[in-house]
Amino acid sequence: MFALALTLFMQQRLMSSTAAELANEVRIVAASLNSSPSYLSTLKRLHLDGTRITLVGSDGDVLYDSDIDEATMEDHGNRPEIEQALKTGRGSADRSSSTLGEVMLYEAMRLADGSVIRLAQGEAGYLAVLWSLAGPVALLTTTGVLVSIVVARRESHRIIEPLLEVDLDHPRRNAQNAYAEMEPMLERIESQRQELKRQVRVLADNDRMRREFTANITHELKTPLTTVSGYAELIANGLVTDEADLRDFGRRIYSEAGRLTSLVNDILTLSNLDEAERSEGEAAAATLGAREPIDVPRTLEGIVQRLEQVAARAEVTLELACEPAMVMGVPRLIDELAYNLASNAIRYNQPGGSVVLACGVEPAEGSAMRAPYIRVSDTGIGIAPEEQGKIFERFYRVDKSRSKARGGTGLGLAIVKHAAAFHGARIELESELGRGTAITVHFPVQDLPELSA
């Protein structure tokens, strides 16, 4: 910052000084030419070191130039300093040269016959001045950094020395050398040391998950709440008078409120699933509902009907490929499991793509009996191999750059994972980037007559 400020100051001072000298010179040259019988002969005898001299006629034609053959030069009537001199008798201008890294200063004065004499001189630009200061500034910066490092290391070592001497495994050993303010903390550490040793890893993992969940849910809730609050404030303050705008704002508020509702419902579902996993029997049933036989093809058919409009807007075709299958489970959870898989398949698909919802029964692993399954496959963007182990985490999105545009709460596949685990099911994922994804939920053998044959 110091170098930039000094560069600006020096460059401005140099330009001001050069411009003043150039103005004096052009007045002297103009006076000499006005008293001379021949402008050209006088100019040819005139030599000013580092200064370019140009004589321009009243019509803009270059009559003489000390550096370039005037016959090859273009019309100068449109140059700012020439135009100003023709109008007022005197003109000045400056122009930067990107190739030479300098600024050209121009001073022009109208002569007695209406022509204009112009003097030009180059002055160093910002970069040139800054480059000239690079050495001293680098030396000053290096010296300052070294001094700061030495002082900081010495002072920080003095301050933290009592902290470094504390043995956290036996904090009372060094209590006499610690700060007085640290004694209560050391006593607390000593009293809880054994307990913390046993639980430190569990607590660390739980704390990390809590912080990640809190950060994600706060972000997800804040975005629609901010939108709703903003539009509602505009309407409440009477700043929206147009009926069309009012309807549009209402539509947006309704959309964001729906997003909030969906997010809250997903959070409640996950909370119920977490609670059910920690409980058994009647307690789990009270949380999620009782298990009952579920006609899987009928459930998938209902999901297709609910998602038809969503798929049409996304230009995605929905297909059913169902065989008879029954699952003993919680209807609401099975519905959410299949719905979230289908919704994700539509959301991360390509225009003109397709989504197939399939179900049936298949031979169970290690058994001659047959078990039901639900499979949702799509022709979408696919999932990279390194991402496939993470997609069932809460708030994890594969396509982060477009996650907001695609919508969704980021909890759908987490619900699928927990709902499948609640029913003892196994999830199988097959995916290829750019080719699509197929997710199959394999349920265990059901104790139902339809599946025993």
Side-chain angles (χ1 to χ4, degrees):
M1 295 298 293
F2 172 78
L4 293 175
L6 184 60
T7 298
L8 179 64
F9 174 78
M10 291 183 62
Q11 206 270 347
Q12 292 296 330
R13 289 295 299 271
L14 289 172
M15 286 185 59
S16 299
S17 176
T18 303
E21 293 177 3
L22 207 58
N24 291 331
E25 288 180 353
V26 78
R27 282 197 296 270
I28 295 173
V29 172
S32 175
L33 292 178
N34 284 330
S35 61
S36 172
S38 173
Y39 292 169
L40 293 179
S41 60
T42 302
L43 291 174
K44 289 178 181 179
R45 295 195 304 271
L46 185 62
H47 295 285
L48 298 176
D49 291 338
T51 302
R52 179 179 175 181
I53 306 172
T54 307
L55 180 64
V56 181
S58 58
D59 58 353
D61 288 340
V62 179
L63 305 178
Y64 172 79
D65 189 276
S66 60
D67 290 358
I68 303 175
D69 184 5
E70 57 271 11
T72 63
M73 299 179 67
E74 61 183 6
D75 188 277
H76 274 43
N78 60 350
R79 302 297 170 92
E81 65 277 6
I82 302 298
E83 290 182 344
Q84 190 178 1
L86 289 173
K87 291 180 181 179
T88 64
R90 183 177 175 182
S92 61
D94 60 83
R95 291 188 281 277
S96 298
S97 172
S98 59
T99 55
L100 300 178
E102 64 179 10
V103 178
M104 292 298 297
L105 303 176
Y106 299 93
E107 290 288 340
M109 183 169 287
R110 188 177 60 204
L111 300 177
D113 65 347
S115 59
V116 176
I117 184 69
R118 186 187 72 175
L119 301 186
Q121 187 170 331
E123 189 55 74
Y126 290 104
L127 292 178
V129 176
L130 181 61
W131 181 252
S132 68
L133 296 174
V137 170
L139 179 61
L140 181 62
T141 302
T142 303
T143 303
V145 168
L146 292 176
V147 171
S148 299
I149 290 174
V150 172
V151 174
R153 286 176 64 87
R154 185 185 64 185
E155 292 302 312
S156 62
H157 183 270
R158 182 179 63 83
I159 292 171
I160 68 173
E161 187 174 10
L163 300 176
L164 296 176
E165 292 179 354
V166 174
D167 183 1
L168 294 180
D169 288 331
H170 306 88
R172 288 179 178 172
R173 291 181 179 178
N174 305 100
Q176 65 277 10
N177 298 325
Y179 294 123
E181 294 83 354
M182 294 176 57
E183 291 181 4
M185 180 190 70
L186 296 178
E187 291 293 334
R188 184 73 177 272
I189 292 175
E190 178 64 22
S191 65
Q192 297 183 349
R193 181 168 61 91
Q194 295 299 330
E195 184 66 20
L196 288 175
K197 275 189 171 182
R198 289 192 300 268
Q199 299 184 2
V200 63
R201 289 189 178 183
V202 175
L203 291 175
D205 289 342
N206 290 343
D207 185 63
R208 176 183 58 81
M209 293 174 63
R210 177 189 59 79
R211 284 188 283 108
E212 289 179 356
F213 183 81
T214 302
N216 285 325
I217 197 62
T218 301
H219 175 74
E220 294 295 335
L221 287 172
K222 185 177 180 181
T223 301
L225 281 174
T226 301
T227 303
V228 170
S229 176
Y231 288 136
E233 182 180 6
L234 290 175
I235 295 173
N237 292 334
L239 299 178
V240 182
T241 57
D242 186 73
E243 186 68 20
D245 289 342
L246 203 57
R247 286 196 300 270
D248 181 59
F249 281 16
R251 179 185 58 78
R252 296 187 185 187
I253 291 175
Y254 179 81
S255 175
E256 294 299 327
R259 180 179 169 189
L260 274 174
T261 301
S262 177
L263 180 60
V264 170
N265 288 337
D266 285 349
I267 293 170
L268 290 175
T269 300
L270 279 174
S271 177
N272 291 336
L273 283 167
D274 287 340
E275 185 176 348
E277 288 176 1
R278 294 190 294 268
S279 57
E280 296 179 1
E282 294 182 359
T287 302
L288 296 172
R291 293 175 183 257
E292 60 184 74
I294 301 169
D295 187 343
V296 179
R298 180 175 297 179
T299 300
L300 297 187
E301 183 178 355
I303 290 172
V304 168
Q305 293 175 359
R306 285 151 55 194
L307 288 174
E308 278 182 347
Q309 295 301 321
V310 177
R313 287 194 295 269
E315 300 180 21
V316 173
T317 303
L318 278 177
E319 300 176 21
L320 270 175
C322 290
E323 297 177 1
M326 297 289 291
V327 169
M328 193 70 179
V330 179
R332 178 170 64 88
L333 291 183
I334 297 299
D335 181 85
E336 287 203 34
L337 181 150
Y339 182 89
N340 283 322
L341 288 177
S343 177
N344 264 22
I346 295 171
R347 186 176 297 116
Y348 293 96
N349 216 312
Q350 309 282 2
S354 63
V355 174
V356 179
L357 280 71
C359 67
V361 292
E362 59 186 1
E365 289 186 353
S367 172
M369 302 183 70
R370 300 173 68 80
Y373 70 90
I374 296 176
R375 179 181 296 113
V376 177
S377 56
D378 62 66
T379 58
I381 62 175
I383 306 169
E386 63 273 15
E387 305 280 350
Q388 294 181 12
K390 307 174 184 177
I391 64 169
F392 293 98
E393 297 176 5
R394 301 178 187 191
F395 295 106
Y396 187 84
R397 290 185 172 95
V398 174
D399 191 3
K400 299 177 181 61
S401 63
R402 297 179 59 191
S403 60
K404 295 302 179 187
R406 295 184 186 273
T409 64
L411 296 173
L413 290 182
I415 292 175
V416 170
K417 172 185 174 182
H418 287 275
F422 180 79
H423 290 89
R426 174 177 58 87
I427 299 176
E428 180 183 4
L429 171 66
E430 300 173 60
S431 184
E432 184 178 350
L433 278 177
R435 301 290 297 274
T437 301
I439 297 179
T440 306
V441 180
H442 301 275
F443 292 90
V445 175
Q446 305 294 302
D447 188 15
L448 292 171
E450 292 82 357
L451 299 177
S452 61

